[in-house]
Amino acid sequence: MAIWTIAAAVVGFLLLLAVASWILRDQIYQSFLDPGEPYQTYAVPPLPDYSLQSSWYARPAEAASGAAIFFVHGTTYPGGREWNAAIDAESPSNRVIEEQLPNFAAPFSELGALYAPRYRQAALYTFMNRREDGVAARITAAGDVRAAFAEFLALIGDETPFIIAGVGQGGMHALAVTIEDVAPYPDIRRRLVTAYIMENQVPLDLLAGALAGIPACETPDDIRCVFSYVSSLSDNHARIRILTEVGMVWAPGGGFSFVEGRGLLCVNPILGARTTDYAPARLHRGGAQASGFREGANPAALPAQTGAQCLDGVLMTELPRSRSLHRPGRLAENYRLPPFNLFYEDLRADAAHRLERFMPVFAAENELAPPLGQPEEVEETPFIPIPDRVDGG
């Protein structure tokens, strides 16, 4: 009898341990991803040289006519040894090529020349806590992307319009570029078609501050605007809390700040507008699971998969009908980008429409005479009267 009692106790303990491990699985996973070294003593991977083709996932050999697209990929390195992944790290790079470029860059790539920089991305681990080391890793990554954007501007010349698109961590760095390297400069700002900050927060106070010159995309016809959303299933309270309370975004001037209590910009990608109206699934143009597709190959989009509505700054979505558009059951999934784009066709159509609206406006502006400069002051010349001539004098 005692043996059975002991056996039952052991089984009960193992079951309790299994339940606890399941509940705390993300925390346990996080502990395995900790590099275990302070950032102050960490040997950061080598700085990318963006004059080299090898520092880009995509960069055309020659500047193409029409628009250019600056695309920033999201997180593909979980962590474990490094705070920042080297730009040539094999597994993270392969995931960008196989997963993120086909799903998130491809909807924009048919509109012009695609430029997608490699950068020393911050590890997934840095987004799972509030450690100063993680913030330092993000600052390193943002510095790379800003350097890549400076090279991008040099490559496309002074008259080429451009789209900025970033997803996940890439959206965070695309926001930094928009705030620091576009908004303050009228000559650059006038060439911006749209800044797509996908699956990364844009606090509302930025629209009245650092982004005052680049307003939100209020309607589908707006140009030179910010298009941003973060999405979640309406019953995923853990992810919603991460998006609205725990998340951090670029702070103007450098560094990062928390989003809690600031309100978030939400542009519904199905409607292409900043609204709290519900967009039913019948209006959904299509999601795509394009992983593994190469440039130029178009995946079969699946329309009418989900409805969506902006509520309290978060795009609440419905569970798609196709299982190919369901998030996988990975550890720390609430911090990850899915291996598909639920709004693939919606974003493609939106960007094409805004570019179509932009080009005639831009062309008309270029035909206008350049604005007059500031009036110049002219020094007064002393007036010396000429004496009247006296006859015979």
Side-chain angles (χ1 to χ4, degrees):
M1 192 70 177
I3 295 177
W4 287 109
T5 302
I6 294 173
V10 170
V11 170
F13 173 76
L14 293 175
L15 287 174
L16 184 62
L17 183 62
V19 170
S21 298
W22 175 254
I23 294 172
L24 300 174
R25 61 193 182 280
D26 280 0
Q27 289 88 335
I28 295 171
Y29 179 57
Q30 178 179 333
S31 68
F32 284 106
L33 300 181
D34 187 345
E37 179 181 4
Y39 204 84
Q40 291 79 357
T41 61
Y42 169 62
V44 183
L47 182 72
D49 179 353
Y50 290 108
S51 67
L52 303 177
Q53 184 76 32
S54 59
S55 294
W56 299 79
Y57 286 106
R59 192 186 82 174
E62 298 180 0
S65 59
I69 293 88
F70 184 76
F71 174 79
V72 192
H73 70 79
T75 309
T76 59
Y77 175 63
R81 297 182 60 185
E82 307 284 348
W83 288 102
N84 294 89
I87 65 169
D88 58 354
E90 184 176 3
S91 179
S93 297
N94 287 343
R95 289 191 61 192
V96 173
I97 295 169
E98 294 291 328
E99 190 172 291
Q100 297 213 5
L101 296 182
N103 282 302
F104 297 104
F108 304 97
S109 63
E110 65 183 56
L111 303 178
L114 178 66
Y115 296 75
R118 295 173 181 263
Y119 68 96
R120 293 171 295 178
Q121 60 170 289
L124 178 69
Y125 172 76
T126 68
F127 297 92
M128 299 178 70
N129 56 69
R130 301 189 175 197
R131 290 179 59 176
E132 291 183 1
D133 305 87
V135 173
R138 300 184 207 190
I139 290 173
T140 295
D144 286 0
V145 175
R146 292 187 61 195
F149 185 73
E151 180 69 15
F152 165 76
L153 291 180
L155 290 168
I156 67 174
D158 295 335
E159 293 299 324
T160 303
F162 60 87
I163 292 170
I164 294 174
V167 60
Q169 177 179 171
M172 173 183 291
H173 305 319
L175 178 61
V177 164
T178 305
I179 290 173
E180 306 293 345
D181 305 306
V182 179
Y185 306 104
D187 288 345
I188 298 176
R189 194 172 65 230
R190 67 180 288 269
R191 294 159 55 195
L192 173 67
V193 181
T194 310
Y196 289 89
I197 313 298
M198 301 171 287
E199 299 295 1
N200 192 80
Q201 304 94 320
V202 174
L204 296 180
D205 53 47
L206 291 178
L207 297 173
L211 291 174
I214 308 176
C217 296
E218 300 284 351
T219 77
D221 293 334
D222 291 343
I223 56 175
R224 294 171 178 150
C225 58
V226 178
F227 185 117
S228 175
Y229 66 90
V230 286
S231 67
S232 174
L233 293 174
S234 58
D235 61 354
N236 189 345
H237 303 295
R239 176 165 169 79
I240 293 169
R241 179 177 175 274
I242 290 169
L243 296 175
T244 59
E245 299 178 22
V246 180
M248 302 180 76
V249 296
W250 181 260
F256 287 86
S257 57
F258 292 103
V259 301
E260 186 174 8
R262 300 168 67 184
L264 303 177
L265 172 62
C266 183
V267 178
N268 191 319
I270 297 178
L271 301 175
R274 182 186 179 189
T275 176
T276 57
D277 291 348
Y278 170 68
R282 61 182 173 79
L283 298 180
H284 179 230
R285 290 182 176 86
Q289 208 286 43
S291 299
F293 279 70
R294 294 296 179 175
E295 187 176 355
N298 294 317
L302 301 171
Q305 290 290 313
T306 184
Q309 184 176 20
C310 290
L311 295 175
D312 298 324
V314 177
L315 184 71
M316 303 298 184
T317 62
E318 299 162 349
L319 187 67
R321 294 183 301 164
S322 172
R323 293 190 63 84
S324 67
L325 299 179
H326 290 189
R327 280 181 173 270
R330 301 174 293 186
L331 292 170
E333 182 60 26
N334 285 330
Y335 294 90
R336 298 177 186 263
L337 287 171
F340 56 81
N341 186 343
L342 186 57
F343 301 106
Y344 186 103
E345 278 297 309
D346 305 271
L347 291 166
R348 186 195 62 77
D350 185 273
H353 178 70
R354 293 186 198 275
L355 180 60
E356 184 180 20
R357 296 272 302 176
F358 176 91
M359 291 307 288
V361 173
F362 188 66
E365 291 172 348
N366 288 341
E367 290 178 0
L368 297 175
L372 294 175
Q374 294 295 321
E376 296 182 7
E377 293 188 8
V378 179
E379 288 188 22
E380 293 186 7
T381 302
F383 175 72
I384 303 176
I386 300 174
D388 293 337
R389 179 178 178 181
V390 180
D391 292 340

